[in-house]
Amino acid sequence: MATATFPATYIRPCDIEECNRASRALCHCCSQDLCIVHLKEHVDILNEQITPILDEIVCLSDKVWQLKDSSVMKKDLEKLLLWKKDAIRVVHNYYMFACRRLKEFVNETLDNQQDTIQRLHALVAEFVGNHDVTKDDIVWITEKVEGIQKQIIKQELVETLVKLRPLVIEKDVIQIDWMLPRMIPFDLGKLSEPHSSKYLHKEFSYDGMASSKDEQYLLLHTDNLLYLFDHELRAEQQMKWEYGYVTEICYAGLLEKFILLTDVGKMRGVYSLCIHKMRVEKIIAGEFCKTACSNMHLYLLKKEQGPCVLYQYKLTNFELSRFLVCAKNESIHSMACNSDMLGLIVFRRVPGVNSFKFRARFEVRSTAGKLDILWSIPMEFGSGIFAYNSISSLNINGWLVTDTADRRLTHISTNGTIQSTLIYKYGYPIKTALLGTDSIVVKSENDHHFQCRRETIINLHKLTNID
């Protein structure tokens, strides 16, 4: 085949290898001289590359609109409203305290003056009746009367007893930004000493304890009283509890209420508590021993023989579903929820040489469907099936499992990996809970051998001290 030849005035040939066509254009993006065919191919390739980008931009635009309509802003508006209500409640409580203090101050001052006047009046009346007053007595009485007169004149001139300063709110008390969930470093091996402690003076207090969804409040039952603590373990409120012994507490974020289980006679059942009004309501009757709350459901375990059946109630309408989660030779000892996951400590009875043995496992199920198992790992507890154990949620950090008999805390990740274990040095741990954004609460029993007594203590450990 003859090779094409071009006159001296010919524009450059196509830069594509093995192409002998004459170039028709210079592509400025890749600095190549291209013929008509390869120019079209080049344009088509670029169009193929830009089309998916255009589709992605449209998808991003749709996502932005979805974010505007998402539940995030609605939840945050509700969060701000709740913050406003809490702030109003704090101001109102301080206002009521100031009113009580003002009345007490005025009444105490005036009552003391009135007592002084009455004693002085009785003394003068006695002098008049007995006719034995002396000149010195008259001088002393006159000085007392003048002193009281000056004090009353001064009080009459006072225009106000209250000095007020404007309530200053820091500008950064509310921060608005696209913030990812905070991943607080959590290492049991570096758990700090207790930042603060509360003594309950009660032996082995297995009463319920739980924190609210945002970990801003801790609810605790002991000695027929409910205590509501803030994130620094300061008592916010206290109320008398008249509905029986509280065995379990969890928090229903959708209802913004604590859920409490009681186990005494006719009072036994499930109660809800609104902490803003400290109002109690019985919501379910029955004999239950365990409870946990996910984002959308309340889970209850009954005291009954045979296979373990979990009762699932929708928090929106309390529609009931039942799930068989254990075999006949198995029992659930503890349970807790972490977002849409349900954690269970399960003991299984297996035949031994001369008796039965028990093996424990920690399993996590999805609450989004039919409680399908996500993963399961074996566990060991110091006193076997007789051990007291508990589970608490660490949010995105996973789970914290308590073994009271061995004083052991075990940190387990959300995917079932044991991260660390710790022998707790500050007593026998009974229950744990997150509190605030940087703290964990451990309810434990201290054994005072030298005093021949035991007492329950609530320890607040700060996580910010962890490197």
Side-chain angles (χ1 to χ4, degrees):
M1 180 182 292
T3 303
T5 59
F6 302 97
T9 58
Y10 167 68
I11 301 175
R12 292 173 55 85
C14 180
D15 284 342
I16 300 301
E17 190 176 348
E18 296 183 358
C19 179
N20 296 322
R21 297 185 187 90
S23 65
R24 298 298 184 184
L26 173 65
C27 178
H28 293 285
C29 67
C30 58
S31 299
Q32 285 185 315
D33 291 303
L34 301 174
C35 65
I36 291 295
V37 175
H38 288 117
L39 179 62
K40 184 178 182 304
E41 290 179 357
H42 190 58
V43 171
D44 290 343
I45 290 172
L46 293 176
N47 284 335
E48 288 176 0
Q49 293 175 349
I50 194 65
T51 300
I53 297 177
L54 178 62
D55 294 339
E56 188 175 349
I57 292 173
V58 173
C59 182
L60 291 174
S61 177
D62 291 341
K63 285 185 177 180
V64 170
W65 283 108
Q66 289 172 5
L67 284 172
K68 284 188 176 181
D69 296 332
S70 71
S71 60
V72 174
M73 185 169 68
K74 182 180 178 181
K75 288 181 180 178
D76 281 339
L77 287 173
E78 292 174 352
K79 187 177 180 180
L80 286 171
L81 179 61
L82 183 60
W83 177 87
K84 184 187 80 169
K85 290 179 179 178
D86 284 343
I88 291 173
R89 178 176 56 82
V90 171
V91 173
H92 177 73
N93 289 343
Y94 192 77
Y95 160 77
M96 295 302 295
F97 165 77
C99 289
R100 289 195 300 270
R101 184 69 190 93
L102 175 62
K103 292 177 182 178
E104 290 171 359
F105 173 77
V106 172
N107 290 336
E108 182 180 352
T109 303
L110 297 183
D111 287 347
N112 288 339
Q113 285 182 341
Q114 191 65 35
D115 289 343
T116 301
I117 292 172
Q118 287 177 355
R119 288 196 300 271
L120 191 60
H121 179 272
L123 181 61
V124 172
E126 183 181 350
F127 283 144
V128 172
N130 295 335
H131 302 286
D132 61 350
V133 65
T134 66
K135 185 176 181 180
D136 290 338
D137 292 332
I138 293 176
V139 171
W140 180 82
I141 293 171
T142 302
E143 291 177 351
K144 286 291 184 182
V145 171
E146 290 176 351
I148 295 173
Q149 287 175 338
K150 289 178 181 179
Q151 208 170 25
I152 292 176
I153 291 172
K154 180 181 177 181
Q155 290 169 343
E156 289 175 339
L157 293 175
V158 171
E159 295 181 354
T160 179
L161 300 174
V162 178
K163 182 179 180 181
L164 296 174
R165 288 184 297 177
L167 182 61
V168 179
I169 299 179
E170 298 178 3
K171 293 182 179 180
D172 61 349
V173 70
I174 296 177
Q175 300 179 26
I176 299 176
D177 200 355
W178 297 100
M179 294 172 283
L180 294 174
R182 186 180 175 191
M183 185 75 173
I184 302 172
F186 191 87
D187 186 352
L188 283 176
K190 299 179 180 178
L191 193 69
S192 66
E193 294 184 356
H195 175 74
S196 59
S197 301
K198 299 289 183 183
Y199 291 87
L200 303 181
H201 304 293
K202 184 178 181 181
E203 182 177 344
F204 270 119
S205 176
Y206 292 121
D207 309 59
M209 181 185 81
S211 57
S212 58
K213 185 178 180 180
D214 55 3
E215 290 88 38
Q216 292 301 306
Y217 297 103
L218 180 79
L219 185 69
L220 172 70
H221 173 262
T222 184
D223 293 330
N224 296 322
L225 290 172
L226 286 180
Y227 293 93
L228 187 68
F229 296 99
D230 68 4
H231 64 282
E232 289 290 339
L233 210 59
R234 295 176 297 223
E236 285 273 318
Q237 295 188 56
Q238 162 184 334
M239 67 173 288
K240 189 175 182 180
W241 181 258
E242 301 175 338
Y243 306 96
Y245 181 76
V246 178
T247 57
E248 294 274 322
I249 302 177
C250 64
Y251 187 77
L254 190 65
L255 304 179
E256 294 186 353
K257 294 179 180 179
F258 280 98
I259 305 296
L260 303 92
L261 294 190
T262 62
D263 188 20
V264 174
K266 295 180 180 180
M267 294 290 187
R268 65 166 57 100
V270 185
Y271 294 81
S272 67
L273 171 67
C274 176
I275 60 175
H276 305 297
K277 298 180 180 179
M278 296 304 280
R279 185 173 60 194
V280 179
E281 179 184 0
K282 189 173 186 178
I283 55 177
I284 302 172
E287 189 176 0
F288 300 96
C289 58
K290 301 294 176 185
T291 184
C293 267
S294 67
N295 291 336
M296 298 299 297
H297 298 98
L298 168 65
Y299 293 94
L300 296 169
L301 180 66
K302 272 195 172 183
K303 285 185 175 180
E304 53 191 7
Q305 298 295 325
C308 292
V309 177
L310 273 181
Y311 291 71
Q312 174 186 273
Y313 291 87
K314 278 188 178 179
L315 291 174
T316 51
N317 56 11
F318 279 82
E319 177 185 335
L320 174 61
S321 301
R322 295 176 178 86
F323 294 94
L324 180 64
V325 294
C326 292
K328 290 183 178 180
N329 61 337
E330 294 181 332
S331 59
I332 296 174
H333 277 224
S334 295
M335 66 183 190
C337 283
N338 187 343
S339 187
D340 287 324
M341 297 179 290
L342 174 66
L344 304 171
I345 292 179
V346 181
F347 277 82
R348 182 185 181 191
R349 186 179 63 181
V350 295
V353 178
N354 298 316
S355 61
F356 288 103
K357 294 182 179 179
F358 292 90
R359 293 176 181 172
R361 70 178 183 269
F362 178 55
E363 68 179 36
V364 171
R365 295 173 176 262
S366 171
T367 63
K370 297 183 178 180
L371 294 184
D372 297 324
I373 295 180
L374 299 177
W375 50 263
S376 175
I377 59 173
M379 298 287 292
E380 291 185 4
F381 294 94
S383 297
I385 193 171
F386 302 106
Y388 185 84
N389 50 66
S390 64
I391 315 169
S392 66
S393 165
L394 297 176
N395 294 334
I396 56 177
N397 283 303
W399 310 82
L400 192 58
V401 177
T402 301
D403 179 359
T404 301
D406 274 0
R407 298 191 178 196
R408 187 170 64 242
L409 302 177
T410 303
H411 174 207
I412 303 174
S413 68
T414 53
N415 62 4
T417 303
I418 294 180
Q419 300 293 314
S420 58
T421 59
L422 171 74
I423 302 301
Y424 192 65
K425 300 186 298 184
Y426 310 100
Y428 293 89
I430 301 172
K431 292 181 183 292
T432 61
L434 281 180
L435 189 60
T437 58
D438 61 351
S439 304
I440 185 170
V441 172
V442 180
K443 179 163 74 169
S444 64
E445 187 202 51
N446 284 352
D447 195 352
H448 297 276
H449 293 291
F450 62 92
Q451 295 181 1
C452 298
R453 67 181 179 88
R454 292 174 174 176
E455 62 184 3
T456 302
I457 185 173
I458 309 294
N459 289 323
L460 177 70
H461 299 270
K462 289 288 185 179
L463 300 179
T464 49
N465 294 333
I466 299 175
D467 297 330

